[in-house]
Amino acid sequence: GCHNPETWDPKEGNIFDLEAKKKLFEYLSEDYISGLTLTGGDPLFHSNREPLTELCRDIKLKFPDKTIWLYTGYDYNQVKNLDIMKYIDVVVDGPFLEKLKDPTLQWRGSSNQHIIRLK
């Protein structure tokens, strides 16, 4: 039931290099873009944590008024002390669970997930 299962394999996907970062920053420079949403797989997969922390730091330095939302299958209490959280505005935590799917929920797919505003 996940909306992007193609992102689950950490050995797949596209390399996020300097050219991709430049393109992302071009998009973020547009006034109609309010921020960035990090989804997955899981942005907090262990090998993602350091590079994503650096990326989020750079985004907040260049675009302090843009919001960063992070969707993670981890419980917030498991990840709340990670360095990346200094740069995140909203966390949606918890795995998507098909049996708890509720299309009436705003910004989340299943009722076990929480919306946590950090800033």
Side-chain angles (χ1 to χ4, degrees):
C2 178
H3 64 87
N4 47 355
E6 66 279 1
T7 65
W8 292 356
D9 188 343
K11 296 177 186 153
E12 294 293 323
N14 299 318
I15 299 294
F16 187 81
D17 57 12
L18 288 176
E19 190 62 33
K21 182 178 179 180
K22 179 181 173 188
K23 191 68 171 167
L24 174 62
F25 276 52
E26 286 175 17
Y27 290 133
L28 288 171
S29 69
E30 298 290 343
D31 289 339
Y32 64 88
I33 302 292
S34 64
L36 177 71
T37 300
L38 302 169
T39 65
D42 199 310
L44 296 182
F45 185 74
H46 289 279
S47 64
N48 294 339
R49 290 178 183 183
E50 185 178 330
L52 264 182
T53 298
E54 291 175 20
L55 176 64
C56 290
R57 181 198 65 225
D58 293 349
I59 290 169
K60 285 297 188 178
L61 286 172
K62 186 161 179 74
F63 306 104
D65 295 329
K66 304 283 182 175
T67 59
I68 300 177
W69 282 57
L70 179 126
Y71 282 76
T72 181
Y74 291 97
D75 179 90
Y76 177 67
N77 288 321
Q78 294 174 288
V79 296
K80 67 182 179 183
N81 294 320
L82 295 177
D83 286 342
I84 193 171
M85 293 303 165
K86 293 186 270 190
Y87 310 108
I88 303 299
D89 297 285
V90 179
V91 174
V92 181
D93 79 338
F96 170 78
L97 298 175
E98 186 72 39
K99 67 182 179 186
L100 298 177
K101 180 179 179 178
D102 182 347
T104 66
L105 296 171
Q106 196 170 34
W107 301 310
R108 55 197 173 122
S110 55
S111 61
N112 63 300
Q113 297 172 311
H114 307 96
I115 300 165
I116 302 154
R117 289 175 176 80
L118 302 180
K119 305 211 163 82

